Structures are given as structure tokens and as C-alpha cells.
Amino acid sequence: MYVLGYTGYTRDSRVAAGVRSPFAKADQNFDTIFEFREGEVPFSMFPLGYFGHDASAALLKDGVVVACAAEERFTRVKYSLNLAGNTLLPKQAIAYCLRAAGISINDVDVVAHYCDFTPDAIRRRVALLRPCFSADDMGLVDESFHNVYAAMMSSHVVREQFRQMTGSLPSTFLSVRHHLAHAASAFYPAGFPEALILTIDGVGEVESSFLGVGRAGKITELRSSFIPTSLGALYLILTVYLGFKSLGDEYKVMGLASYGDPKRFRNGFGELVTLNGDGTYATPCLAKRDLHDELIRAFGPARIPGGPFEGRHADVAAALQEALHHAVLHTLAYARKETGLVDLCLAGGVALNCTLNGVIARSGLFRNIFVQPAANDEGCSVGAALIAAAQHGELPPPAATRWKHAYWGPEYSPDEILHGLEGFREQLLWEKPADIAAAVAHEVASGKVVGWFQGRMEFGPRALGNRSILADPRDAGMKDKINEKVKRREAFRPFAPAVVEEDAEVYFDMTGLRDSPFMLFTVPVKKHQRAVIPAVTHVDGTARVQTVSRETNPGFWRLIMEFKNLTGVSVVLNTSYNVRDEPIVCSPGDALRCLLSTNIDCAAVGEFLVRKRHAR
Ligand SMILES: [Fe+2]
């Protein structure tokens, strides 16, 4: 049986001139996110808007993943947004999944979508927000919710849009509750027979968090958090307060937090995030009508996007990060005691917070932790599909659903790569070394910044050694060099290390972790190694480590081992293969265009080592 899961909504069918979603980036700042826009509600009350982002598709055959991919990789526009900031459906990602399985849409038995908006869900949403609005505003919000529901989110509209997108509508179409899709995306791929499951994001239909138990192939809910409580929403609002963009810039806050001291604003955050005796938390500030002014009163003026950083900004980020740690650990400690479960699964956008994940690992609360590599809504396509497969009794035992890797995207044959190269014959030269891994290790060891494009593309926002840019971690100046050559990131943001898993303990304090294959845990770099790998050691002595397994990525593993032979160090700097504000490269053409438009020194595309004819 084939099950297709997908994420995303589109408002294309109703888009009107001048109407923009909260994702419209151009004028987004701390003042404008609170403005009321037609068809929407103020940001603080509904921070992720109505409109799905991170459109993606996933295909299962008999309960086993065949392919998963994010639409942004094909459209080349980040987070699957179109130019007006509105979201798109995953048309190309679905086409890829079908191609990978060698089937057509008519062969799909079940389609599963990642949200379940019903009239009742909308009524509950309105009821939850009622105390937060004046009677006049509430009228607007109520009307707005119902209008958008009817135009975009009702199952009738969702199904019709699917039919228009694919030209077909399978007889079984399942709308899966959002947090259940997140929960499934973590539980089934974890491969644990039983586990505690926590999902945290901005908001689904009405929940911002879900706590449950996975056991015997089923997920049972313990309790959920409902808006206006939302750690994801609070984090997002403060991301914008700090002068970054919502949706995607949360990493920058995490990086900035390492420079700050949480003490200065600890009391302020104590009021923003409160902990309850029953293991729950609340964010009462999000229910306040004057949240904008209150945050400015508490922390000073918002940082203007692109403006200078003050110590105060880092201190706000540090206190926010600390408040997040306290709230999540509070929930987990309670649930661990309540259930006795020793294995943990995490998903939801907040589970991409590697610093938080590292703190959970080091807390000693759990024996094993699995974080879905596509913990954001991208992963809900596979989560929704897994729920559908479980309902149809299609899921194999946990050991067979376990993800050892996240390489579920497209791959390209040597012929396809050669064809891509031929298109750039005027600008590029290539050779076929006897051993591409050894050749690249040699380039990296001699200080080059090298594109590494191999095998199937990663699912989730991290490049894990198949669509990566690699460099020498021993050179303290490498961060600036990569930023100058290709990335152009803020100087405070760290780059990540990839280490062969056998040597992880040599460089990193892996307390509470067996491995970190998806680059989702921040861990301390051992003190005596910080000077050895300065380019991947953050200001606070930590690193967002990826452990590389010989079994799941033999080519990348061997590259690092060759680098070790040359240098004695079994770590390389691994950053995603893309330029700033573009999605990670998907096809050989994308990789070659990126090579040509930046100062990357060379790229290994499949078995070919590619250089520019004329250095820029
Ligand atoms: Fe979500």
C-alpha cells in the first residue's frame, strides 16, 4: 500500500492585491508583526498565521519510507513561500516522491494532510483567544478566522486543491491533527518500542505542544498546551524583537544567546514563562493586548533589522534560551516521573533548538533521545503518512521503521551529473579522480573550501554530508573565510563540525548521547580540543556536532578518515551547500550554479571534481 503525506496550504486561490501573510518578509519588524491585516489576526495571537509553511511530501510503501523532500529545494525559494510571502503546495516534492517509487498518483492508496482544521477547531481557537481581545477586535478575529477557514482550510478546499495540484484525488484522504503528525514523525522513526513523546511549535490547530506516550505502535495523548500558551510563538516574537526574521532565523537567536548573560533579564522572563506544579508551563504574556509595549518596557527598544548588536540583545537571547530550557525540562522531568519512560522522542519546530536538545541530553533524564531531523513542519508530511499507515495496520515493527539516516531526497546518476556539467562547459573544468573522498580530503586539508554533493539529498534543514560545504576546522580564520567566500552570515553564528562517530568522544563531551547523526545537539567541545578545532568551536566552547557513521554515509566517513590521515584530526567543518537566503542545493545544476556564483574553491559533484576555468 502506498501512502502519500504532505504539508502546506495555499492561499493562491484567494490572494488579493495588497493582502500579505505574516511571512511577507520585506517590511517585517517588531512593529509590523503586531498589525492587523485583512484575513489575519495580530501576530501575537496567531503567530504562524493561517498559512502553512515548509511544504513537503513523503511517500511510504507498506509503512516504510521511500522518499521525502521539501518543496523549497525544487522551487529554490526558502520555506516554500512564493514571492508575495504566501505559501505553496508541494507539487514538485510530490512528483519527486512518485518518481522515486516509480509510480503515478493513481497508484497512491491513501493521502494524508498534516492539519485537521474543522469548524469545531476554529470555534475552539476563537474561544481560547476571546479573553485576549476587546469585543470589537474579537468580532474582526472571529470573522477573519471563519472566512479564511471557508476559503482555504476546510477539508473540501484542501482536497480540491490537492486534486488541482496532482490531477487526481485518491479515495482515502486523511486530515491528521497537526501535533499528532509531529509526534508520529518522531516516534515511528525513532524505532523505540515505547517512548515519551514531546512536540513543541508555534501552534497547530489549537495546540502549541503535545505530550504523549508511544507504545505498541500507537500514540496516546497525556496532555497538550493550547494557545495563547506557546513557547514557539514567544521564541518567534523575540526573534523578530531581536531584529531577525520570523520563520527560520531562530538559529540566530540561539547563536547570539551564547554571547549573553541570562541573569540580567531572568526576572523578566520569569513573568513571561511561568511553571505550574502539574508539570505544565504557560506564557501568559501572549494573552496581553499590550505585549509589544510590555516587551519594550522590560527589555528596551527592539533591535532594528540590520542594525548594530548591543550586549543587551545577547542578554535577552540568553535569558530567552534559559527560560525555554527551564520550561521544557520542567515538563520532561514531570513526565519522566509520571510515566517511568526512559526513551524520549522530540519534534516540532522548537525541537530544532540544538542548545535545548543538548541541555535535555545532559540532564540525565533519558536513556535515549531521538529528534526528528525534519522537526519543523517539513517533517509532518512523513508524520501524517505514518499515522495513516498505522491506522491501516500497515506499520512494520519499530526496528524496521527506525531511521538511521535522513537521506530521503533525490539522487542523480553519473550520466545526469555529466549532463549537468556539459551545460557549464564554458565556465567549468572537471576531472574524475581515482578516489573522490581522498581528493576532497586533500583539498580541505590544504585550506580549500569545497562543495560536497553526493547521493541522496537530506530531509530536514541540516546538510548532513550529501549537500555540504566542507572546510578545515583547524583554521581559526576559516569562519571569516567561508563567510567571505560564500555564506555571508552574521559573524556571531557558528559553523558545525562533522566527526566520524568512533572519535566523537575524543573531541566532544557526549554525555547523555550515543551519537548525533542529525546535527541536532549542541555539546561542549573538550577543553583541550578547543584550540585544535577553533573554526567549529562556538564562543561558549560548544559545537553543534554531527557524528558520521560508516554504515549510513560511507563516502563522507571515508573523506573524514582521509582528512585524519593527512592532519591527525577526524573532524571537518560542515555547512550547508547554499548561499545566504537560498535553499540548500538539490540538483547538480544547483550545485554548479552555487559554485560559479561564489568563491568556493572547487566542488565534488558525484565522482567529478569540478573547478572554475577562471577564478573569480
Ligand atoms: Fe508545527
Side-chain angles (χ1 to χ4, degrees), residues 256-283:
L256 189 62
S258 302
Y259 291 83
D261 182 348
K263 278 206 284 297
R264 184 170 170 188
F265 295 117
R266 185 171 287 154
N267 289 342
F269 274 93
E271 289 173 25
L272 299 185
V273 185
T274 57
L275 308 183
N276 305 319
D278 60 356
T280 63
Y281 56 82
T283 53

PDB file of all heavy atoms in Angstrom, residues 256-283:
ATOM      1  N   LEU A 256      23.293  33.857  19.127  1.00  0.00           N
ATOM      2  CA  LEU A 256      23.518  35.103  19.859  1.00  0.00           C
ATOM      3  C   LEU A 256      23.487  34.872  21.371  1.00  0.00           C
ATOM      4  O   LEU A 256      24.221  35.512  22.128  1.00  0.00           O
ATOM      5  CB  LEU A 256      22.427  36.108  19.451  1.00  0.00           C
ATOM      6  CG  LEU A 256      22.557  37.548  19.910  1.00  0.00           C
ATOM      7  CD1 LEU A 256      23.822  38.189  19.349  1.00  0.00           C
ATOM      8  CD2 LEU A 256      21.315  38.355  19.469  1.00  0.00           C
ATOM      9  N   ALA A 257      22.636  33.922  21.792  1.00  0.00           N
ATOM     10  CA  ALA A 257      22.466  33.668  23.229  1.00  0.00           C
ATOM     11  C   ALA A 257      23.786  33.292  23.893  1.00  0.00           C
ATOM     12  O   ALA A 257      24.009  33.606  25.062  1.00  0.00           O
ATOM     13  CB  ALA A 257      21.436  32.560  23.430  1.00  0.00           C
ATOM     14  N   SER A 258      24.664  32.644  23.145  1.00  0.00           N
ATOM     15  CA  SER A 258      25.935  32.206  23.726  1.00  0.00           C
ATOM     16  C   SER A 258      26.821  33.378  24.133  1.00  0.00           C
ATOM     17  O   SER A 258      27.748  33.217  24.923  1.00  0.00           O
ATOM     18  CB  SER A 258      26.700  31.343  22.718  1.00  0.00           C
ATOM     19  OG  SER A 258      25.925  30.237  22.350  1.00  0.00           O
ATOM     20  N   TYR A 259      26.551  34.545  23.596  1.00  0.00           N
ATOM     21  CA  TYR A 259      27.351  35.729  23.942  1.00  0.00           C
ATOM     22  C   TYR A 259      26.781  36.479  25.139  1.00  0.00           C
ATOM     23  O   TYR A 259      27.400  37.413  25.634  1.00  0.00           O
ATOM     24  CB  TYR A 259      27.410  36.705  22.755  1.00  0.00           C
ATOM     25  CG  TYR A 259      28.211  36.201  21.581  1.00  0.00           C
ATOM     26  CD1 TYR A 259      27.652  35.347  20.657  1.00  0.00           C
ATOM     27  CD2 TYR A 259      29.543  36.589  21.411  1.00  0.00           C
ATOM     28  CE1 TYR A 259      28.380  34.886  19.570  1.00  0.00           C
ATOM     29  CE2 TYR A 259      30.285  36.131  20.331  1.00  0.00           C
ATOM     30  CZ  TYR A 259      29.693  35.278  19.411  1.00  0.00           C
ATOM     31  OH  TYR A 259      30.423  34.821  18.353  1.00  0.00           O
ATOM     32  N   GLY A 260      25.569  36.102  25.546  1.00  0.00           N
ATOM     33  CA  GLY A 260      24.882  36.897  26.562  1.00  0.00           C
ATOM     34  C   GLY A 260      24.922  36.289  27.948  1.00  0.00           C
ATOM     35  O   GLY A 260      25.353  35.152  28.132  1.00  0.00           O
ATOM     36  N   ASP A 261      24.447  37.067  28.902  1.00  0.00           N
ATOM     37  CA  ASP A 261      24.334  36.627  30.287  1.00  0.00           C
ATOM     38  C   ASP A 261      22.839  36.603  30.629  1.00  0.00           C
ATOM     39  O   ASP A 261      22.185  37.649  30.599  1.00  0.00           O
ATOM     40  CB  ASP A 261      25.077  37.616  31.191  1.00  0.00           C
ATOM     41  CG  ASP A 261      25.033  37.186  32.649  1.00  0.00           C
ATOM     42  OD1 ASP A 261      24.245  36.268  32.976  1.00  0.00           O
ATOM     43  OD2 ASP A 261      25.773  37.770  33.453  1.00  0.00           O
ATOM     44  N   PRO A 262      22.314  35.431  30.964  1.00  0.00           N
ATOM     45  CA  PRO A 262      20.862  35.359  31.206  1.00  0.00           C
ATOM     46  C   PRO A 262      20.413  36.089  32.474  1.00  0.00           C
ATOM     47  O   PRO A 262      19.228  36.387  32.619  1.00  0.00           O
ATOM     48  CB  PRO A 262      20.600  33.844  31.324  1.00  0.00           C
ATOM     49  CG  PRO A 262      21.908  33.239  31.682  1.00  0.00           C
ATOM     50  CD  PRO A 262      22.963  34.113  31.075  1.00  0.00           C
ATOM     51  N   LYS A 263      21.369  36.384  33.367  1.00  0.00           N
ATOM     52  CA  LYS A 263      20.982  36.969  34.667  1.00  0.00           C
ATOM     53  C   LYS A 263      20.213  38.285  34.528  1.00  0.00           C
ATOM     54  O   LYS A 263      19.243  38.534  35.213  1.00  0.00           O
ATOM     55  CB  LYS A 263      22.239  37.232  35.500  1.00  0.00           C
ATOM     56  CG  LYS A 263      22.746  36.001  36.224  1.00  0.00           C
ATOM     57  CD  LYS A 263      23.536  36.332  37.466  1.00  0.00           C
ATOM     58  CE  LYS A 263      24.938  36.829  37.201  1.00  0.00           C
ATOM     59  NZ  LYS A 263      25.861  35.900  36.550  1.00  0.00           N
ATOM     60  N   ARG A 264      20.675  39.121  33.601  1.00  0.00           N
ATOM     61  CA  ARG A 264      20.152  40.481  33.501  1.00  0.00           C
ATOM     62  C   ARG A 264      18.625  40.514  33.301  1.00  0.00           C
ATOM     63  O   ARG A 264      17.951  41.372  33.871  1.00  0.00           O
ATOM     64  CB  ARG A 264      20.843  41.158  32.317  1.00  0.00           C
ATOM     65  CG  ARG A 264      20.485  42.601  32.116  1.00  0.00           C
ATOM     66  CD  ARG A 264      21.443  43.175  31.076  1.00  0.00           C
ATOM     67  NE  ARG A 264      21.077  44.485  30.612  1.00  0.00           N
ATOM     68  CZ  ARG A 264      21.690  45.095  29.606  1.00  0.00           C
ATOM     69  NH1 ARG A 264      22.684  44.496  28.982  1.00  0.00           N
ATOM     70  NH2 ARG A 264      21.323  46.293  29.222  1.00  0.00           N
ATOM     71  N   PHE A 265      18.109  39.597  32.503  1.00  0.00           N
ATOM     72  CA  PHE A 265      16.662  39.623  32.218  1.00  0.00           C
ATOM     73  C   PHE A 265      15.947  38.378  32.742  1.00  0.00           C
ATOM     74  O   PHE A 265      14.845  38.065  32.314  1.00  0.00           O
ATOM     75  CB  PHE A 265      16.429  39.777  30.708  1.00  0.00           C
ATOM     76  CG  PHE A 265      16.924  41.094  30.171  1.00  0.00           C
ATOM     77  CD1 PHE A 265      17.941  41.127  29.225  1.00  0.00           C
ATOM     78  CD2 PHE A 265      16.383  42.301  30.619  1.00  0.00           C
ATOM     79  CE1 PHE A 265      18.408  42.346  28.728  1.00  0.00           C
ATOM     80  CE2 PHE A 265      16.842  43.514  30.128  1.00  0.00           C
ATOM     81  CZ  PHE A 265      17.863  43.538  29.184  1.00  0.00           C
ATOM     82  N   ARG A 266      16.595  37.681  33.661  1.00  0.00           N
ATOM     83  CA  ARG A 266      15.997  36.431  34.168  1.00  0.00           C
ATOM     84  C   ARG A 266      14.636  36.694  34.809  1.00  0.00           C
ATOM     85  O   ARG A 266      13.677  35.964  34.569  1.00  0.00           O
ATOM     86  CB  ARG A 266      16.965  35.802  35.176  1.00  0.00           C
ATOM     87  CG  ARG A 266      16.517  34.434  35.679  1.00  0.00           C
ATOM     88  CD  ARG A 266      17.604  33.779  36.498  1.00  0.00           C
ATOM     89  NE  ARG A 266      18.708  33.292  35.673  1.00  0.00           N
ATOM     90  CZ  ARG A 266      19.959  33.146  36.104  1.00  0.00           C
ATOM     91  NH1 ARG A 266      20.276  33.468  37.356  1.00  0.00           N
ATOM     92  NH2 ARG A 266      20.901  32.690  35.302  1.00  0.00           N
ATOM     93  N   ASN A 267      14.561  37.730  35.614  1.00  0.00           N
ATOM     94  CA  ASN A 267      13.279  38.005  36.283  1.00  0.00           C
ATOM     95  C   ASN A 267      12.195  38.347  35.273  1.00  0.00           C
ATOM     96  O   ASN A 267      11.050  37.927  35.414  1.00  0.00           O
ATOM     97  CB  ASN A 267      13.433  39.150  37.287  1.00  0.00           C
ATOM     98  CG  ASN A 267      14.255  38.710  38.487  1.00  0.00           C
ATOM     99  OD1 ASN A 267      14.418  37.504  38.712  1.00  0.00           O
ATOM    100  ND2 ASN A 267      14.780  39.667  39.236  1.00  0.00           N
ATOM    101  N   GLY A 268      12.569  39.120  34.260  1.00  0.00           N
ATOM    102  CA  GLY A 268      11.599  39.483  33.220  1.00  0.00           C
ATOM    103  C   GLY A 268      11.021  38.246  32.554  1.00  0.00           C
ATOM    104  O   GLY A 268       9.815  38.127  32.354  1.00  0.00           O
ATOM    105  N   PHE A 269      11.903  37.298  32.249  1.00  0.00           N
ATOM    106  CA  PHE A 269      11.418  36.077  31.588  1.00  0.00           C
ATOM    107  C   PHE A 269      10.650  35.175  32.542  1.00  0.00           C
ATOM    108  O   PHE A 269       9.796  34.389  32.122  1.00  0.00           O
ATOM    109  CB  PHE A 269      12.575  35.332  30.917  1.00  0.00           C
ATOM    110  CG  PHE A 269      12.831  35.849  29.530  1.00  0.00           C
ATOM    111  CD1 PHE A 269      13.765  36.854  29.308  1.00  0.00           C
ATOM    112  CD2 PHE A 269      12.103  35.377  28.458  1.00  0.00           C
ATOM    113  CE1 PHE A 269      13.980  37.362  28.034  1.00  0.00           C
ATOM    114  CE2 PHE A 269      12.307  35.872  27.175  1.00  0.00           C
ATOM    115  CZ  PHE A 269      13.243  36.882  26.968  1.00  0.00           C
ATOM    116  N   GLY A 270      10.934  35.320  33.839  1.00  0.00           N
ATOM    117  CA  GLY A 270      10.169  34.568  34.838  1.00  0.00           C
ATOM    118  C   GLY A 270       8.693  34.924  34.772  1.00  0.00           C
ATOM    119  O   GLY A 270       7.828  34.101  35.101  1.00  0.00           O
ATOM    120  N   GLU A 271       8.399  36.162  34.352  1.00  0.00           N
ATOM    121  CA  GLU A 271       6.991  36.564  34.212  1.00  0.00           C
ATOM    122  C   GLU A 271       6.426  36.150  32.851  1.00  0.00           C
ATOM    123  O   GLU A 271       5.225  35.918  32.714  1.00  0.00           O
ATOM    124  CB  GLU A 271       6.864  38.080  34.375  1.00  0.00           C
ATOM    125  CG  GLU A 271       7.097  38.512  35.814  1.00  0.00           C
ATOM    126  CD  GLU A 271       7.146  40.025  35.962  1.00  0.00           C
ATOM    127  OE1 GLU A 271       6.562  40.720  35.113  1.00  0.00           O
ATOM    128  OE2 GLU A 271       7.788  40.489  36.916  1.00  0.00           O
ATOM    129  N   LEU A 272       7.300  36.071  31.852  1.00  0.00           N
ATOM    130  CA  LEU A 272       6.810  35.702  30.515  1.00  0.00           C
ATOM    131  C   LEU A 272       6.490  34.208  30.419  1.00  0.00           C
ATOM    132  O   LEU A 272       5.567  33.799  29.717  1.00  0.00           O
ATOM    133  CB  LEU A 272       7.854  36.053  29.441  1.00  0.00           C
ATOM    134  CG  LEU A 272       8.250  37.524  29.297  1.00  0.00           C
ATOM    135  CD1 LEU A 272       9.191  37.692  28.110  1.00  0.00           C
ATOM    136  CD2 LEU A 272       7.034  38.411  29.111  1.00  0.00           C
ATOM    137  N   VAL A 273       7.294  33.401  31.097  1.00  0.00           N
ATOM    138  CA  VAL A 273       7.085  31.947  31.060  1.00  0.00           C
ATOM    139  C   VAL A 273       6.941  31.463  32.501  1.00  0.00           C
ATOM    140  O   VAL A 273       7.884  31.551  33.278  1.00  0.00           O
ATOM    141  CB  VAL A 273       8.279  31.221  30.400  1.00  0.00           C
ATOM    142  CG1 VAL A 273       7.984  29.731  30.267  1.00  0.00           C
ATOM    143  CG2 VAL A 273       8.606  31.816  29.039  1.00  0.00           C
ATOM    144  N   THR A 274       5.766  30.969  32.857  1.00  0.00           N
ATOM    145  CA  THR A 274       5.541  30.519  34.234  1.00  0.00           C
ATOM    146  C   THR A 274       5.421  28.998  34.272  1.00  0.00           C
ATOM    147  O   THR A 274       4.942  28.371  33.316  1.00  0.00           O
ATOM    148  CB  THR A 274       4.254  31.146  34.808  1.00  0.00           C
ATOM    149  OG1 THR A 274       3.171  30.810  33.946  1.00  0.00           O
ATOM    150  CG2 THR A 274       4.377  32.660  34.899  1.00  0.00           C
ATOM    151  N   LEU A 275       5.883  28.417  35.373  1.00  0.00           N
ATOM    152  CA  LEU A 275       5.851  26.962  35.522  1.00  0.00           C
ATOM    153  C   LEU A 275       4.786  26.578  36.545  1.00  0.00           C
ATOM    154  O   LEU A 275       4.672  27.223  37.591  1.00  0.00           O
ATOM    155  CB  LEU A 275       7.227  26.452  35.980  1.00  0.00           C
ATOM    156  CG  LEU A 275       8.425  26.913  35.133  1.00  0.00           C
ATOM    157  CD1 LEU A 275       9.718  26.280  35.652  1.00  0.00           C
ATOM    158  CD2 LEU A 275       8.233  26.573  33.661  1.00  0.00           C
ATOM    159  N   ASN A 276       4.031  25.539  36.240  1.00  0.00           N
ATOM    160  CA  ASN A 276       2.958  25.104  37.131  1.00  0.00           C
ATOM    161  C   ASN A 276       3.347  23.800  37.833  1.00  0.00           C
ATOM    162  O   ASN A 276       4.166  23.032  37.321  1.00  0.00           O
ATOM    163  CB  ASN A 276       1.659  24.894  36.337  1.00  0.00           C
ATOM    164  CG  ASN A 276       1.280  26.147  35.549  1.00  0.00           C
ATOM    165  OD1 ASN A 276       1.404  27.261  36.059  1.00  0.00           O
ATOM    166  ND2 ASN A 276       0.841  25.960  34.320  1.00  0.00           N
ATOM    167  N   GLY A 277       2.698  23.563  38.973  1.00  0.00           N
ATOM    168  CA  GLY A 277       3.020  22.381  39.788  1.00  0.00           C
ATOM    169  C   GLY A 277       2.706  21.063  39.103  1.00  0.00           C
ATOM    170  O   GLY A 277       3.238  20.020  39.479  1.00  0.00           O
ATOM    171  N   ASP A 278       1.862  21.093  38.075  1.00  0.00           N
ATOM    172  CA  ASP A 278       1.466  19.842  37.419  1.00  0.00           C
ATOM    173  C   ASP A 278       2.325  19.515  36.204  1.00  0.00           C
ATOM    174  O   ASP A 278       1.917  18.759  35.320  1.00  0.00           O
ATOM    175  CB  ASP A 278      -0.006  19.922  37.004  1.00  0.00           C
ATOM    176  CG  ASP A 278      -0.259  21.074  36.028  1.00  0.00           C
ATOM    177  OD1 ASP A 278       0.694  21.839  35.745  1.00  0.00           O
ATOM    178  OD2 ASP A 278      -1.404  21.204  35.553  1.00  0.00           O
ATOM    179  N   GLY A 279       3.511  20.107  36.154  1.00  0.00           N
ATOM    180  CA  GLY A 279       4.431  19.788  35.055  1.00  0.00           C
ATOM    181  C   GLY A 279       4.172  20.589  33.800  1.00  0.00           C
ATOM    182  O   GLY A 279       4.837  20.385  32.789  1.00  0.00           O
ATOM    183  N   THR A 280       3.216  21.487  33.826  1.00  0.00           N
ATOM    184  CA  THR A 280       2.937  22.295  32.638  1.00  0.00           C
ATOM    185  C   THR A 280       3.585  23.678  32.787  1.00  0.00           C
ATOM    186  O   THR A 280       4.098  24.032  33.846  1.00  0.00           O
ATOM    187  CB  THR A 280       1.421  22.473  32.413  1.00  0.00           C
ATOM    188  OG1 THR A 280       0.876  23.192  33.523  1.00  0.00           O
ATOM    189  CG2 THR A 280       0.737  21.136  32.273  1.00  0.00           C
ATOM    190  N   TYR A 281       3.565  24.425  31.715  1.00  0.00           N
ATOM    191  CA  TYR A 281       4.051  25.805  31.735  1.00  0.00           C
ATOM    192  C   TYR A 281       3.012  26.678  31.038  1.00  0.00           C
ATOM    193  O   TYR A 281       2.071  26.158  30.401  1.00  0.00           O
ATOM    194  CB  TYR A 281       5.405  25.911  31.004  1.00  0.00           C
ATOM    195  CG  TYR A 281       5.345  25.407  29.588  1.00  0.00           C
ATOM    196  CD1 TYR A 281       4.861  26.205  28.558  1.00  0.00           C
ATOM    197  CD2 TYR A 281       5.739  24.103  29.276  1.00  0.00           C
ATOM    198  CE1 TYR A 281       4.764  25.723  27.263  1.00  0.00           C
ATOM    199  CE2 TYR A 281       5.636  23.623  27.973  1.00  0.00           C
ATOM    200  CZ  TYR A 281       5.152  24.435  26.980  1.00  0.00           C
ATOM    201  OH  TYR A 281       5.031  23.963  25.705  1.00  0.00           O
ATOM    202  N   ALA A 282       3.177  27.988  31.159  1.00  0.00           N
ATOM    203  CA  ALA A 282       2.267  28.910  30.472  1.00  0.00           C
ATOM    204  C   ALA A 282       3.053  30.126  30.011  1.00  0.00           C
ATOM    205  O   ALA A 282       4.128  30.426  30.547  1.00  0.00           O
ATOM    206  CB  ALA A 282       1.131  29.332  31.398  1.00  0.00           C
ATOM    207  N   THR A 283       2.544  30.780  28.994  1.00  0.00           N
ATOM    208  CA  THR A 283       3.148  32.039  28.527  1.00  0.00           C
ATOM    209  C   THR A 283       2.057  33.116  28.583  1.00  0.00           C
ATOM    210  O   THR A 283       1.547  33.540  27.553  1.00  0.00           O
ATOM    211  CB  THR A 283       3.691  31.898  27.089  1.00  0.00           C
ATOM    212  OG1 THR A 283       2.635  31.395  26.238  1.00  0.00           O
ATOM    213  CG2 THR A 283       4.861  30.951  27.021  1.00  0.00           C
TER     214      THR A 283
END
